[in-house]
Amino acid sequence: MKSKFIVGLAIASIAAVSVAQAPQTMPETNKSTEQIMVVLDASGSMWGRVDGRTKISVVRDAYADLMKTWDEADVESGLILYGHRRKGDCSDIELISRPGQTDSHSLGRTVAKLNPKGKTPIGASVRQAAEELKYTEQKATVILLSDGIETCGVDPCQLGRDLEALGVDFTTHVIGFDLGGEATEQLQCLARNTGGRFLQARNTSDLKEAFEQVADISRPLSLQGLVAETGEAAPGMMWTITRKDGVIVVEQRTETSTLSMAELADGQLPDGDYTVTGRAKNYSGSTNFTLPTEKPVIYVRLFPDVPYTRLRVEGDILSGDEFTVAWEGIGGPEDIISIVPRGADWGQAISTVRVRTGNPVSLKAPPNAGEYDLLYLNSDVELNRIDERMPVTVLESLYALNAAGAIQAGQSFTVNWRGPALEGDMIAIGPRTSGRDDYFSMTWIESDGPVSLTAPDMPGDYELRYYGDGYVVQFVQPVRVQ
C-alpha cells in the first residue's frame, strides 16, 4: 500500500504545490522530498454564499491558515488556480508557483485578491499539477478544492485512473465545498482512484476542519520542541533518538524547533519503540514514541536544566527558633527556601522565605523537634521545581512559649513555658517587633509552673517573648488575640 501524505483541493480551480523538505538550516545529505501542489477553484460559482459569506472569502481564510500551519512545519507548497481570469475559457488555468519558489505570504496575498469569473476545468488543472510535480518520476501529491462539477469535458474519474497508472506514487486528496450530488460522485471517484481522501465541507466550520485535516496528512511526521513554561516553539535544537535497547540511532541539529522524520540524514527509522531527547540552550526534555504512528507531530516538552544548587545551615536548628540558611542557586525573584516534614512536597511547607531577601536568609523552625527537609524551590514562571532537598534535624529548643487556649482581648490568659528560669528572666506579650521594652504586660518567672499575662485590649497579631540574660529577648512566639 502506498504511503500518503497530501490531500487534493479543488474549489473552482486553484492548485498549489508544497514540498516537505529539510529547512535550509538543516544538516545536509540524502533528504527525501515530498512535493505538494494545491489546486484551488476560482470559478464563477465561488461567489455563492455559505453561512452568510461568499465561498471565496471562506476559502481565502482557510488557505491562509493552511499556509501558516505549513510554515511552522517547514512544508513548502505550490499553487495552481483556475477560472479566475476569464469567463467561458476552459484554458484559464494558471501556475502561480512551483513548490518552494514563492513564500507563503505571497501565495496568501494572491489568493486574497482572487476574483472568480470562469469555468471549472478540474481535470486539466489536476493533470497540469501532476505534470509540474513530475509525477511519473517521483512521489507527488495534489490537494484539490472545488465547489462544483467539471465543466470542460474531462472525466475526473478516468483521469484518476490514468494518473495512478502512470505515477510513481501519485495521490490526489479532494475537498468538496458545498457540492451537489453529481459533483460529489466525480470528485470522490478522483480521490479514490488515486488512493487519496475525499473531505466533504458543507459550511464554514466544515471547511476549516477539512483544511486542518489536510494540514495534518500533508506533512510528514515531525518532532517539535516546546518550552513547557510558555508553550512556545524552542530555538535551535539538538536531537538524540535512541532505540528501546538504548542504542543511539540519530544525533542531529536543527536551527528551528522542528525535525522532520523525512529529513533524517540516514533515512526513515524502522518501525519500533524509540525515545527522543531534545536540547535547546539550557532547556531539555524527552518523550517516548512508537513507529508507525498516526500522529503528524510528536511534541517534546522542554524544561530548564536543573542548575547547581546547595543549601547550608549555620549552627543547630532549634524548635520554634529562627535559624540561618546560606544558599547557592539561580536566585530568581520568586525562588524560595522552605522547611517541610521529611520527604514532603513544597506544598506542605511549615515556613518559607524568598531568597531575594538576602544570602544567608533566616527561617522559622517548626515548633516540634524531629526530622525535616530544607527545600530550594525554583519558582521561575511558576515552575515550582525542587532544585535541592537537604535533610535536617530540628532539636528540642531550650525555650518554648504556648498559650493555654485562645487569648481573649483584655482578659488574663495562661502561658506554658520552657526556659532556663534564671534569676531575672521574664515572659511578656507585645507587638510583633521583638522589641525590648514595648510589651503590654509582663511577669517574672518565679516557679516552674505556668504564668499568667493580661492580653492587649485590641484583637490582632502579637507575640509572646522570653526575656533573659540581662533583659534581652531570647525567644519569640507569635500569637493571635481574639
Side-chain angles (χ1 to χ4, degrees):
M1 179 176 290
K2 296 192 307 181
S3 172
K4 304 297 184 183
F5 289 99
I6 314 286
V7 175
L9 309 174
I11 279 189
S13 235
I14 292 186
V17 183
S18 157
V19 182
Q21 64 183 18
Q24 296 300 315
T25 55
M26 288 288 297
E28 61 297 318
T29 78
N30 302 327
K31 303 180 177 95
S32 61
T33 298
E34 174 80 17
Q35 291 195 331
I36 304 173
M37 184 71 82
V38 178
V39 177
L40 292 182
D41 181 347
S43 62
S45 59
M46 291 296 287
W47 286 119
R49 303 183 76 82
V50 171
D51 294 337
R53 298 178 60 191
T54 61
K55 287 187 278 188
I56 189 62
S57 69
V58 176
V59 171
R60 288 167 181 157
D61 292 345
Y63 180 78
D65 290 342
L66 177 64
M67 290 298 97
K68 180 179 179 181
T69 300
W70 278 348
D71 272 350
E72 294 173 351
D74 296 319
V75 173
E76 297 179 355
S77 66
L79 179 63
I80 289 177
L81 304 175
Y82 65 81
H84 59 297
R85 295 176 296 187
R86 299 179 295 276
K87 294 182 178 181
D89 185 354
C90 286
S91 66
D92 185 14
I93 302 170
E94 182 181 9
L95 172 65
I96 303 300
S97 174
R98 294 182 178 86
Q101 276 189 331
T102 308
D103 65 75
S104 61
H105 297 293
S106 297
L107 294 178
R109 287 194 296 269
T110 297
V111 173
K113 296 177 182 178
L114 285 178
N115 185 23
K117 290 184 175 66
K119 298 180 75 67
T120 311
I122 294 173
S125 299
V126 171
R127 180 178 292 278
Q128 181 174 334
E131 291 171 350
E132 293 291 345
L133 296 176
K134 297 181 172 54
Y135 77 107
T136 61
E137 304 172 18
Q138 61 189 6
K139 178 176 174 63
T141 305
V142 171
I143 297 176
L144 169 67
L145 186 147
S146 180
D147 79 331
I149 196 169
E150 163 73 43
T151 60
C152 291
V154 177
D155 180 359
C157 201
Q158 182 59 48
L159 174 68
R161 285 192 288 268
D162 294 343
L163 295 175
E164 178 73 6
L166 295 174
V168 171
D169 189 357
F170 179 77
T171 307
T172 299
H173 301 289
V174 179
I175 295 178
F177 189 26
D178 192 33
L179 293 178
E182 185 178 357
T184 299
E185 292 178 8
Q186 277 189 352
L187 298 182
Q188 280 179 331
C189 188
L190 172 61
R192 182 174 61 251
N193 285 348
T194 62
R197 292 181 59 186
F198 175 78
L199 304 172
Q200 180 77 283
R202 296 293 185 187
N203 50 44
T204 301
S205 61
D206 283 353
L207 184 63
K208 180 179 179 181
E209 182 178 349
F211 267 95
E212 289 174 349
Q213 293 185 51
V214 165
D216 285 344
I217 58 182
S218 62
R219 56 186 176 182
L221 174 65
S222 62
L223 307 173
Q224 184 172 15
L226 297 178
V227 177
E229 302 153 355
T230 64
E232 296 178 351
M237 298 280 295
M238 181 64 198
W239 300 96
T240 303
I241 300 177
T242 58
R243 295 194 316 230
K244 189 175 183 179
D245 59 8
V247 175
I248 296 176
V249 292
V250 172
E251 286 187 304
Q252 195 156 333
R253 185 179 298 279
T254 62
E255 294 189 18
T256 68
S257 65
T258 302
L259 171 63
S260 171
M261 301 298 280
E263 297 162 355
L264 297 179
D266 296 326
Q268 295 287 346
L269 295 175
D271 292 350
D273 297 324
Y274 298 92
T275 297
V276 56
T277 299
R279 294 189 176 279
K281 293 186 177 179
N282 61 330
Y283 286 77
S284 63
S286 63
T287 191
N288 299 324
F289 66 97
T290 300
L291 295 179
T293 178
E294 295 182 357
K295 295 181 179 179
V297 182
I298 295 173
Y299 293 101
V300 181
R301 289 166 58 81
L302 306 176
F303 297 88
D305 291 330
V306 177
Y308 173 77
T309 305
R310 188 170 66 176
L311 299 174
R312 186 178 70 258
V313 175
E314 301 178 355
D316 292 333
I317 304 176
L318 302 177
S319 60
D321 207 354
E322 296 276 340
F323 65 100
T324 300
V325 182
W327 56 269
E328 297 176 56
I330 291 179
E334 301 303 317
D335 292 359
I336 65 173
I337 295 173
S338 62
I339 188 166
V340 302
R342 176 64 55 83
D345 197 3
W346 62 273
Q348 296 176 258
I350 298 169
S351 63
T352 64
V353 61
R354 295 200 182 276
V355 300
R356 66 187 178 196
T357 60
N359 191 2
V361 294
S362 292
L363 196 61
K364 182 76 170 180
N368 299 314
E371 302 301 316
Y372 297 86
D373 288 336
L374 279 178
L375 304 182
Y376 184 103
L377 189 71
N378 184 334
S379 298
D380 187 41
V381 197
E382 298 183 357
L383 176 61
N384 294 333
R385 183 187 66 208
I386 296 173
D387 284 355
E388 171 71 343
R389 178 185 291 270
M390 175 185 174
V392 294
T393 299
V394 175
L395 304 176
E396 192 73 57
S397 175
L398 177 64
Y399 299 92
L401 294 172
N402 294 291
I407 305 175
Q408 303 294 331
Q411 302 295 314
S412 294
F413 64 98
T414 299
V415 178
N416 296 311
W417 59 273
R418 181 173 64 248
L422 300 176
E423 185 178 354
D425 288 0
M426 56 179 273
I427 295 173
I429 185 170
R432 291 194 181 180
T433 61
S434 295
R436 181 172 177 178
D437 56 6
D438 58 349
Y439 51 81
F440 294 101
S441 69
M442 58 80 65
T443 183
W444 301 102
I445 298 175
E446 297 178 349
S447 67
D448 293 336
V451 297
S452 294
L453 292 174
T454 300
D457 292 334
M458 296 293 294
D461 293 324
Y462 297 89
E463 64 186 23
L464 296 175
R465 303 175 191 154
Y466 189 107
Y467 289 87
D469 192 22
Y471 197 45
V472 175
V473 176
Q474 302 294 321
F475 182 79
V476 171
Q477 176 62 53
V479 293
R480 176 75 178 174
V481 174
Q482 302 177 357

PDB file of all heavy atoms in Angstrom, residues 384-404:
ATOM      1  N   ASN A 384       8.000  25.923  39.921  1.00  0.00           N
ATOM      2  CA  ASN A 384       7.854  25.167  41.172  1.00  0.00           C
ATOM      3  C   ASN A 384       8.612  23.837  41.123  1.00  0.00           C
ATOM      4  O   ASN A 384       8.052  22.764  41.363  1.00  0.00           O
ATOM      5  CB  ASN A 384       6.374  24.938  41.493  1.00  0.00           C
ATOM      6  CG  ASN A 384       5.653  26.228  41.801  1.00  0.00           C
ATOM      7  OD1 ASN A 384       6.259  27.184  42.264  1.00  0.00           O
ATOM      8  ND2 ASN A 384       4.368  26.281  41.521  1.00  0.00           N
ATOM      9  N   ARG A 385       9.890  23.933  40.775  1.00  0.00           N
ATOM     10  CA  ARG A 385      10.741  22.747  40.701  1.00  0.00           C
ATOM     11  C   ARG A 385      11.684  22.733  41.895  1.00  0.00           C
ATOM     12  O   ARG A 385      12.330  23.721  42.209  1.00  0.00           O
ATOM     13  CB  ARG A 385      11.550  22.764  39.401  1.00  0.00           C
ATOM     14  CG  ARG A 385      12.415  21.511  39.212  1.00  0.00           C
ATOM     15  CD  ARG A 385      13.320  21.669  38.009  1.00  0.00           C
ATOM     16  NE  ARG A 385      14.305  22.722  38.224  1.00  0.00           N
ATOM     17  CZ  ARG A 385      14.850  23.442  37.245  1.00  0.00           C
ATOM     18  NH1 ARG A 385      14.484  23.247  36.004  1.00  0.00           N
ATOM     19  NH2 ARG A 385      15.752  24.373  37.517  1.00  0.00           N
ATOM     20  N   ILE A 386      11.756  21.583  42.573  1.00  0.00           N
ATOM     21  CA  ILE A 386      12.651  21.441  43.715  1.00  0.00           C
ATOM     22  C   ILE A 386      14.060  21.188  43.192  1.00  0.00           C
ATOM     23  O   ILE A 386      14.336  20.127  42.625  1.00  0.00           O
ATOM     24  CB  ILE A 386      12.198  20.293  44.632  1.00  0.00           C
ATOM     25  CG1 ILE A 386      10.818  20.619  45.225  1.00  0.00           C
ATOM     26  CG2 ILE A 386      13.212  20.074  45.749  1.00  0.00           C
ATOM     27  CD1 ILE A 386      10.206  19.470  46.014  1.00  0.00           C
ATOM     28  N   ASP A 387      14.945  22.168  43.349  1.00  0.00           N
ATOM     29  CA  ASP A 387      16.316  22.037  42.873  1.00  0.00           C
ATOM     30  C   ASP A 387      17.257  21.469  43.925  1.00  0.00           C
ATOM     31  O   ASP A 387      18.353  21.019  43.602  1.00  0.00           O
ATOM     32  CB  ASP A 387      16.846  23.402  42.405  1.00  0.00           C
ATOM     33  CG  ASP A 387      16.273  23.798  41.058  1.00  0.00           C
ATOM     34  OD1 ASP A 387      15.560  22.970  40.465  1.00  0.00           O
ATOM     35  OD2 ASP A 387      16.537  24.923  40.607  1.00  0.00           O
ATOM     36  N   GLU A 388      16.852  21.489  45.192  1.00  0.00           N
ATOM     37  CA  GLU A 388      17.700  20.927  46.252  1.00  0.00           C
ATOM     38  C   GLU A 388      16.811  20.495  47.417  1.00  0.00           C
ATOM     39  O   GLU A 388      15.843  21.178  47.781  1.00  0.00           O
ATOM     40  CB  GLU A 388      18.736  21.955  46.726  1.00  0.00           C
ATOM     41  CG  GLU A 388      19.519  21.562  47.964  1.00  0.00           C
ATOM     42  CD  GLU A 388      20.522  20.437  47.707  1.00  0.00           C
ATOM     43  OE1 GLU A 388      20.397  19.747  46.678  1.00  0.00           O
ATOM     44  OE2 GLU A 388      21.405  20.228  48.535  1.00  0.00           O
ATOM     45  N   ARG A 389      17.108  19.324  47.953  1.00  0.00           N
ATOM     46  CA  ARG A 389      16.424  18.822  49.147  1.00  0.00           C
ATOM     47  C   ARG A 389      17.504  18.407  50.145  1.00  0.00           C
ATOM     48  O   ARG A 389      18.296  17.508  49.860  1.00  0.00           O
ATOM     49  CB  ARG A 389      15.520  17.652  48.811  1.00  0.00           C
ATOM     50  CG  ARG A 389      14.813  17.055  50.039  1.00  0.00           C
ATOM     51  CD  ARG A 389      14.027  15.817  49.667  1.00  0.00           C
ATOM     52  NE  ARG A 389      12.885  16.142  48.847  1.00  0.00           N
ATOM     53  CZ  ARG A 389      11.670  16.432  49.307  1.00  0.00           C
ATOM     54  NH1 ARG A 389      11.458  16.446  50.624  1.00  0.00           N
ATOM     55  NH2 ARG A 389      10.678  16.700  48.491  1.00  0.00           N
ATOM     56  N   MET A 390      17.530  19.056  51.306  1.00  0.00           N
ATOM     57  CA  MET A 390      18.580  18.812  52.292  1.00  0.00           C
ATOM     58  C   MET A 390      17.954  18.319  53.602  1.00  0.00           C
ATOM     59  O   MET A 390      17.195  19.049  54.249  1.00  0.00           O
ATOM     60  CB  MET A 390      19.352  20.111  52.544  1.00  0.00           C
ATOM     61  CG  MET A 390      20.386  19.998  53.637  1.00  0.00           C
ATOM     62  SD  MET A 390      21.143  21.618  53.960  1.00  0.00           S
ATOM     63  CE  MET A 390      22.152  21.214  55.395  1.00  0.00           C
ATOM     64  N   PRO A 391      18.230  17.089  54.018  1.00  0.00           N
ATOM     65  CA  PRO A 391      17.695  16.598  55.290  1.00  0.00           C
ATOM     66  C   PRO A 391      18.295  17.377  56.467  1.00  0.00           C
ATOM     67  O   PRO A 391      19.501  17.645  56.495  1.00  0.00           O
ATOM     68  CB  PRO A 391      18.138  15.134  55.324  1.00  0.00           C
ATOM     69  CG  PRO A 391      18.502  14.795  53.913  1.00  0.00           C
ATOM     70  CD  PRO A 391      18.998  16.059  53.294  1.00  0.00           C
ATOM     71  N   VAL A 392      17.468  17.719  57.436  1.00  0.00           N
ATOM     72  CA  VAL A 392      17.936  18.403  58.644  1.00  0.00           C
ATOM     73  C   VAL A 392      17.226  17.819  59.858  1.00  0.00           C
ATOM     74  O   VAL A 392      16.150  17.222  59.741  1.00  0.00           O
ATOM     75  CB  VAL A 392      17.681  19.930  58.589  1.00  0.00           C
ATOM     76  CG1 VAL A 392      18.504  20.579  57.495  1.00  0.00           C
ATOM     77  CG2 VAL A 392      16.194  20.229  58.390  1.00  0.00           C
ATOM     78  N   THR A 393      17.827  17.991  60.995  1.00  0.00           N
ATOM     79  CA  THR A 393      17.234  17.567  62.262  1.00  0.00           C
ATOM     80  C   THR A 393      16.941  18.795  63.106  1.00  0.00           C
ATOM     81  O   THR A 393      17.821  19.646  63.318  1.00  0.00           O
ATOM     82  CB  THR A 393      18.180  16.634  63.033  1.00  0.00           C
ATOM     83  OG1 THR A 393      18.420  15.462  62.250  1.00  0.00           O
ATOM     84  CG2 THR A 393      17.576  16.226  64.374  1.00  0.00           C
ATOM     85  N   VAL A 394      15.715  18.905  63.564  1.00  0.00           N
ATOM     86  CA  VAL A 394      15.320  20.004  64.442  1.00  0.00           C
ATOM     87  C   VAL A 394      15.404  19.499  65.883  1.00  0.00           C
ATOM     88  O   VAL A 394      14.762  18.505  66.252  1.00  0.00           O
ATOM     89  CB  VAL A 394      13.906  20.499  64.125  1.00  0.00           C
ATOM     90  CG1 VAL A 394      13.468  21.570  65.136  1.00  0.00           C
ATOM     91  CG2 VAL A 394      13.839  21.056  62.701  1.00  0.00           C
ATOM     92  N   LEU A 395      16.208  20.162  66.665  1.00  0.00           N
ATOM     93  CA  LEU A 395      16.418  19.778  68.066  1.00  0.00           C
ATOM     94  C   LEU A 395      15.424  20.480  68.980  1.00  0.00           C
ATOM     95  O   LEU A 395      14.888  21.544  68.635  1.00  0.00           O
ATOM     96  CB  LEU A 395      17.847  20.140  68.485  1.00  0.00           C
ATOM     97  CG  LEU A 395      18.978  19.546  67.635  1.00  0.00           C
ATOM     98  CD1 LEU A 395      20.311  20.081  68.113  1.00  0.00           C
ATOM     99  CD2 LEU A 395      18.938  18.024  67.674  1.00  0.00           C
ATOM    100  N   GLU A 396      15.220  19.868  70.127  1.00  0.00           N
ATOM    101  CA  GLU A 396      14.337  20.493  71.111  1.00  0.00           C
ATOM    102  C   GLU A 396      14.961  21.793  71.578  1.00  0.00           C
ATOM    103  O   GLU A 396      16.116  21.853  71.996  1.00  0.00           O
ATOM    104  CB  GLU A 396      14.160  19.563  72.309  1.00  0.00           C
ATOM    105  CG  GLU A 396      13.042  19.973  73.252  1.00  0.00           C
ATOM    106  CD  GLU A 396      11.674  19.693  72.658  1.00  0.00           C
ATOM    107  OE1 GLU A 396      11.396  18.528  72.310  1.00  0.00           O
ATOM    108  OE2 GLU A 396      10.893  20.654  72.545  1.00  0.00           O
ATOM    109  N   SER A 397      14.179  22.869  71.497  1.00  0.00           N
ATOM    110  CA  SER A 397      14.701  24.172  71.877  1.00  0.00           C
ATOM    111  C   SER A 397      14.775  24.315  73.400  1.00  0.00           C
ATOM    112  O   SER A 397      14.004  23.692  74.141  1.00  0.00           O
ATOM    113  CB  SER A 397      13.815  25.279  71.316  1.00  0.00           C
ATOM    114  OG  SER A 397      14.237  26.544  71.768  1.00  0.00           O
ATOM    115  N   LEU A 398      15.700  25.173  73.833  1.00  0.00           N
ATOM    116  CA  LEU A 398      15.790  25.487  75.251  1.00  0.00           C
ATOM    117  C   LEU A 398      14.556  26.261  75.689  1.00  0.00           C
ATOM    118  O   LEU A 398      14.169  26.237  76.862  1.00  0.00           O
ATOM    119  CB  LEU A 398      17.054  26.308  75.510  1.00  0.00           C
ATOM    120  CG  LEU A 398      17.304  26.794  76.934  1.00  0.00           C
ATOM    121  CD1 LEU A 398      17.495  25.598  77.865  1.00  0.00           C
ATOM    122  CD2 LEU A 398      18.520  27.718  76.977  1.00  0.00           C
ATOM    123  N   TYR A 399      13.907  26.930  74.697  1.00  0.00           N
ATOM    124  CA  TYR A 399      12.788  27.799  75.022  1.00  0.00           C
ATOM    125  C   TYR A 399      11.504  27.300  74.354  1.00  0.00           C
ATOM    126  O   TYR A 399      11.543  26.699  73.268  1.00  0.00           O
ATOM    127  CB  TYR A 399      13.056  29.225  74.545  1.00  0.00           C
ATOM    128  CG  TYR A 399      14.266  29.863  75.173  1.00  0.00           C
ATOM    129  CD1 TYR A 399      15.510  29.773  74.554  1.00  0.00           C
ATOM    130  CD2 TYR A 399      14.167  30.539  76.375  1.00  0.00           C
ATOM    131  CE1 TYR A 399      16.625  30.350  75.130  1.00  0.00           C
ATOM    132  CE2 TYR A 399      15.283  31.125  76.969  1.00  0.00           C
ATOM    133  CZ  TYR A 399      16.508  31.033  76.337  1.00  0.00           C
ATOM    134  OH  TYR A 399      17.614  31.603  76.919  1.00  0.00           O
ATOM    135  N   ALA A 400      10.394  27.584  74.997  1.00  0.00           N
ATOM    136  CA  ALA A 400       9.072  27.336  74.416  1.00  0.00           C
ATOM    137  C   ALA A 400       8.064  28.221  75.126  1.00  0.00           C
ATOM    138  O   ALA A 400       8.148  28.400  76.353  1.00  0.00           O
ATOM    139  CB  ALA A 400       8.675  25.869  74.535  1.00  0.00           C
ATOM    140  N   LEU A 401       7.127  28.771  74.350  1.00  0.00           N
ATOM    141  CA  LEU A 401       6.050  29.593  74.904  1.00  0.00           C
ATOM    142  C   LEU A 401       4.760  29.199  74.192  1.00  0.00           C
ATOM    143  O   LEU A 401       4.672  29.282  72.962  1.00  0.00           O
ATOM    144  CB  LEU A 401       6.328  31.087  74.686  1.00  0.00           C
ATOM    145  CG  LEU A 401       7.522  31.695  75.423  1.00  0.00           C
ATOM    146  CD1 LEU A 401       7.767  33.123  74.926  1.00  0.00           C
ATOM    147  CD2 LEU A 401       7.268  31.701  76.931  1.00  0.00           C
ATOM    148  N   ASN A 402       3.760  28.772  74.929  1.00  0.00           N
ATOM    149  CA  ASN A 402       2.492  28.356  74.327  1.00  0.00           C
ATOM    150  C   ASN A 402       1.339  28.797  75.220  1.00  0.00           C
ATOM    151  O   ASN A 402       1.312  28.483  76.425  1.00  0.00           O
ATOM    152  CB  ASN A 402       2.435  26.843  74.155  1.00  0.00           C
ATOM    153  CG  ASN A 402       3.465  26.353  73.149  1.00  0.00           C
ATOM    154  OD1 ASN A 402       3.345  26.613  71.966  1.00  0.00           O
ATOM    155  ND2 ASN A 402       4.487  25.662  73.644  1.00  0.00           N
ATOM    156  N   ALA A 403       0.401  29.539  74.615  1.00  0.00           N
ATOM    157  CA  ALA A 403      -0.779  29.953  75.377  1.00  0.00           C
ATOM    158  C   ALA A 403      -1.677  28.748  75.589  1.00  0.00           C
ATOM    159  O   ALA A 403      -1.872  27.927  74.683  1.00  0.00           O
ATOM    160  CB  ALA A 403      -1.521  31.044  74.626  1.00  0.00           C
ATOM    161  N   ALA A 404      -2.232  28.641  76.755  1.00  0.00           N
ATOM    162  CA  ALA A 404      -3.142  27.538  77.076  1.00  0.00           C
ATOM    163  C   ALA A 404      -4.544  27.935  76.639  1.00  0.00           C
ATOM    164  O   ALA A 404      -5.315  28.496  77.420  1.00  0.00           O
ATOM    165  CB  ALA A 404      -3.096  27.214  78.568  1.00  0.00           C
TER     166      ALA A 404
END
